Amino acid sequence: AEINQETLDISSRSADKKTMNAIAKVKERPILFSSPMVKALIARQKTQTRRIVKRQNAPDPGFVWAECLCRDIHPSDTPCPTCAARFSPSPYGQPGDRLIVKEAAWLWCQKARDGETKTGRPKFNYIPKGRFVHYQADEQKPTYRVNESPEQGWRLKIGRYLPAWASRINLEVTGVRVERLQDISEEDARAEGVGLFIPDHATPAAAMALANAGRPHAAAFCALWHSINGPESWDANPWVWVLEFRRAA
């Protein structure tokens, strides 16, 4: 059977339309990472992250947040359909979506007056001037000046305030699920980008217990979680979003 040029053109336009529709459906969301975790991302040692499930994720505003017994019903600890529904939708997107990494960085900024405090003292805002960036994770604090203006200089911006144009790492979401914090496996703890467990005076008892059980990466992750989220945060064993990803092109 012969295929004429018109048929090929129609087929090509149809394929292009499908590609454009797929691209249009991809959503981008910002996500914060600390400098140590940024280093792990750059080294491609981190392919997972866990974030606490917030109660406002319940789909029905009138839903009463209560503990479900599905963990006792299902030995696999997989959330039942009711739990899965109340955890949806994920605030971090679905497979195929992108995460724009926000990290602390030094930016060359212009000092600008921004009103007054309640006591009448002047307030200032520091607005990025030009695309000069030095990332804190690279451990290279800038010492040179871009120009000699006394109203301009380097300013360390925490990740929350990093402009979108300054982000250097994009991640493609490959998996999203919900599980209990303490259900993390040794393999998944390694995928979190943590190193081997090194105890110190601030090591929580739960981390020591995991280390003694022959789970050094889980112990290191437990210690990291404790340092970020505070005492008793591991023992609370909250539901967490488990995001799996890869570096996007």
Side-chain angles (χ1 to χ4, degrees):
E2 293 185 0
I3 301 176
N4 59 36
Q5 185 61 43
E6 183 179 359
T7 302
L8 289 173
D9 290 343
I10 293 173
S11 177
S12 177
R13 288 198 297 271
S14 177
D16 289 344
K17 186 175 181 180
K18 288 181 180 179
T19 300
M20 293 302 294
N21 288 338
I23 293 173
K25 290 180 181 179
V26 173
K27 295 183 179 180
E28 295 184 345
R29 294 172 173 81
I31 188 168
L32 283 168
F33 281 104
S34 65
S35 291
M37 293 298 98
V38 169
K39 290 180 181 179
L41 287 172
I42 293 173
R44 300 184 183 274
Q45 296 171 344
K46 184 174 180 66
T47 57
Q48 287 188 16
T49 189
R50 281 160 173 73
R51 307 295 164 108
I52 295 176
V53 171
K54 302 294 179 67
R55 295 191 175 190
Q56 59 263 36
N57 288 328
D60 180 2
F63 181 84
V64 178
W65 190 271
E67 190 65 50
C68 179
L69 298 178
C70 68
R71 283 168 54 83
D72 299 326
I73 298 171
H74 298 288
S76 65
D77 284 354
T78 300
C80 67
T82 301
C83 281
R86 89 183 192 199
F87 290 141
S88 298
S90 161
Y92 301 100
Q94 300 299 326
D97 288 346
R98 294 203 172 192
L99 300 173
I100 309 303
V101 174
K102 306 196 73 157
E103 57 178 300
W106 294 89
L107 303 178
W108 184 258
C109 295
Q110 171 78 43
K111 183 179 180 181
R113 184 72 179 265
D114 187 25
E116 297 181 344
T117 66
K118 293 181 179 179
T119 59
R121 300 182 65 181
K123 290 196 305 183
F124 296 94
N125 193 9
Y126 296 87
I127 305 169
K129 197 76 173 175
R131 301 200 170 192
F132 303 98
V133 187
H134 288 268
Y135 300 98
Q136 189 179 46
D138 295 342
E139 300 179 359
Q140 293 181 349
K141 180 179 178 179
T143 56
Y144 67 94
R145 293 187 63 81
V146 174
N147 59 47
E148 295 305 318
S149 170
E151 297 301 314
Q152 294 185 16
W154 293 106
R155 190 79 178 177
L156 180 61
K157 296 275 189 179
I158 61 174
R160 187 181 304 277
Y161 300 114
L162 186 77
W165 59 261
S167 176
R168 57 175 170 169
I169 302 174
N170 291 346
L171 305 173
E172 180 185 346
V173 178
T174 58
V176 181
R177 68 179 187 272
V178 171
E179 68 182 26
R180 288 287 192 175
L181 175 65
Q182 293 181 18
D183 289 346
I184 188 170
S185 66
E186 183 69 6
E187 181 180 355
D188 283 350
R190 187 181 294 107
E192 281 276 356
V194 297
L196 292 175
F197 177 63
I198 301 176
D200 58 28
H201 68 282
T203 298
M208 287 301 303
L210 287 167
N212 292 335
R215 300 183 59 196
H217 288 92
F221 176 75
C222 172
L224 174 65
W225 185 273
H226 183 273
S227 68
I228 294 172
N229 297 286
E232 302 180 4
S233 58
W234 179 265
D235 293 337
N237 198 23
W239 288 101
V240 292
W241 292 106
V242 181
L243 309 176
E244 296 178 295
F245 48 77
R246 61 182 171 222
R247 289 285 296 272

